[in-house]
Amino acid sequence: MAVPARGDHDARRRDVSQAVWEVLAAGGFGGLTLRAVAARMGASTGLLTHYFPSKKALMRYALEVAHEHTQVLDRFPAEGEGLPGLRAALLDVMPLTPEGAARNRVWVSFWDAALGDDELAAAELRRYERWRGMLRPHVDAALRRGQLPADADPDDVVATAAGFGHGLVVQALFDPARFPPQRQVKLVDDFVALLAR
Amino acid sequence: MAVPARGDHDARRRDVSQAVWEVLAAGGFGGLTLRAVAARMGASTGLLTHYFPSKKALMRYALEVAHEHTQVLDRFPAEGEGLPGLRAALLDVMPLTPEGAARNRVWVSFWDAALGDDELAAAELRRYERWRGMLRPHVDAALRRGQLPADADPDDVVATAAGFGHGLVVQALFDPARFPPQRQVKLVDDFVALLAR
């Protein structure tokens, strides 16, 4: 048997990544199994065990795939520094589109897996740190520019904004009729205005 | 074989409920299986299938058990109507104690199961409605008493408070070192003060 050309290898890797993402988007981390990924690819479970010798290896890989798919794309350009930047960063994570909803479903589903596993819980802790780290420069800029009360604690403002954002994500995922995109945007706008008051 | 006395039946039912709760507290809805519940009870999986003919039946029952365990206990008496009541209602759901953390782990883990199943998603939607319904009278009272800006939309204030609360719960579950109980209380206090500003 010929050694696969380099291009074949990369193509197969893209196939695996795509199948893992589709399984995650369809059923979350709770529905992630070698069998489901193999079925998506039209491949055998045996082939998949070549890539992922254990469920844990598959989970680790899926975490990377989910991370790639949730890189912030700067979809909401901020109209200014400080609070406008915070507003844009919050809107970036909201389930305003079907793709945004799929991304959020995947992450919310990851919390169950992560709460039961020390390694995954540590990964989730770091993910939160990263997200708060993305909000932080906007809060610092808002303080510098006098857009927030001078005695506001930036760590607390960031934790409150991160909490508000994720809590709104969860409500919107379960009740899209009551939380259509325009209401999500209004709630984010009102929240940012509240911080500034 | 004699028909079990009524007391035996109730005792067995309590055993099942307790075992289901222990499995949920240990591994969330993701770890809920007939086998795990049977192992907790020291019973056979066969006995459990008598109670739960399907995984779905077990999930439905576990949802009831989780609901019973998360009834609000009025642990935080409000020092006044309106915003103090809202503060107390938010503190009631925070993971301030090991029991509070266990309750929250169970509910956060349910989101994964619920996102993949229409019936469970509908149950989660109703649970959110119930929780927002519990916050609502406090927001209405705060408006009547002039503790909130007169033009505040009560539905929006409730959704923002519910979002902030659950988002803080998730951060605290994954990062208890950074979100010890006293910081959770401070963040709730600051959030309520923000609404009042």
Side-chain angles (χ1 to χ4, degrees), chain B residues 171-193:
Chain B
Q171 291 181 87
L173 283 183
F174 282 106
D175 205 343
R178 195 165 283 146
F179 292 89
Q182 65 271 26
R183 186 170 184 219
Q184 295 180 46
V185 174
K186 177 183 188 299
L187 288 168
V188 168
D189 281 337
D190 288 354
F191 174 76
V192 172

Side-chain angles (χ1 to χ4, degrees), chain B:
Chain B
M1 201 178 86
V3 173
R6 179 73 197 163
D8 288 353
H9 180 83
D10 289 353
R12 173 53 58 90
R13 211 179 155 73
R14 274 197 304 277
D15 287 351
V16 174
S17 296
Q18 183 58 27
V20 166
W21 176 249
E22 286 170 11
V23 168
L24 289 178
F29 277 88
L32 180 70
T33 59
L34 284 174
R35 186 192 295 241
V37 176
R40 277 280 160 179
M41 295 178 65
S44 68
T45 307
L47 176 79
L48 264 288
T49 57
H50 172 72
Y51 289 88
F52 309 113
S54 66
K55 178 69 190 279
K56 193 72 172 260
L58 175 61
M59 286 293 278
R60 277 197 202 106
Y61 184 74
L63 201 53
E64 281 176 39
V65 169
H67 182 61
E68 279 167 26
H69 274 263
T70 49
Q71 291 298 309
V72 171
L73 308 168
D74 276 335
R75 278 156 299 175
F76 283 90
E79 293 156 17
E81 246 203 333
L83 291 183
L86 182 66
R87 171 188 186 269
L90 288 172
L91 287 176
D92 274 339
V93 302
M94 290 297 142
L96 298 171
T97 62
E99 296 74 34
R103 276 195 303 271
N104 275 296
R105 282 178 65 135
V106 169
W107 279 120
V108 168
S109 82
F110 182 62
W111 291 337
D112 184 15
L115 284 168
D117 180 290
D118 288 346
E119 178 188 331
L120 299 179
E124 182 61 16
L125 186 153
R126 286 191 302 275
R127 199 168 73 86
Y128 256 104
E129 283 175 341
R130 266 199 311 276
W131 192 44
R132 285 191 300 257
M134 286 173 55
L135 301 180
R136 180 63 189 256
H138 303 301
V139 170
D140 286 342
L143 272 167
R144 275 198 312 275
R145 299 171 76 92
Q147 297 169 344
L148 290 170
D151 62 351
D153 178 322
D155 276 340
D156 286 354
V157 175
V158 165
T160 296
F164 161 78
H166 274 180
L168 183 54
V169 162
V170 175
Q171 291 181 87
L173 283 183
F174 282 106
D175 205 343
R178 195 165 283 146
F179 292 89
Q182 65 271 26
R183 186 170 184 219
Q184 295 180 46
V185 174
K186 177 183 188 299
L187 288 168
V188 168
D189 281 337
D190 288 354
F191 174 76
V192 172
L194 200 61
L195 293 178
R197 231 166 35 200

Side-chain angles (χ1 to χ4, degrees), chain A residues 54-83:
Chain A
S54 66
K55 177 70 191 281
K56 193 71 170 261
L58 175 60
M59 286 292 279
R60 278 198 202 103
Y61 184 74
L63 201 52
E64 280 176 41
V65 169
H67 182 61
E68 278 167 27
H69 274 262
T70 48
Q71 291 297 307
V72 171
L73 309 168
D74 277 334
R75 279 156 298 175
F76 283 90
E79 292 156 18
E81 246 203 335
L83 291 183

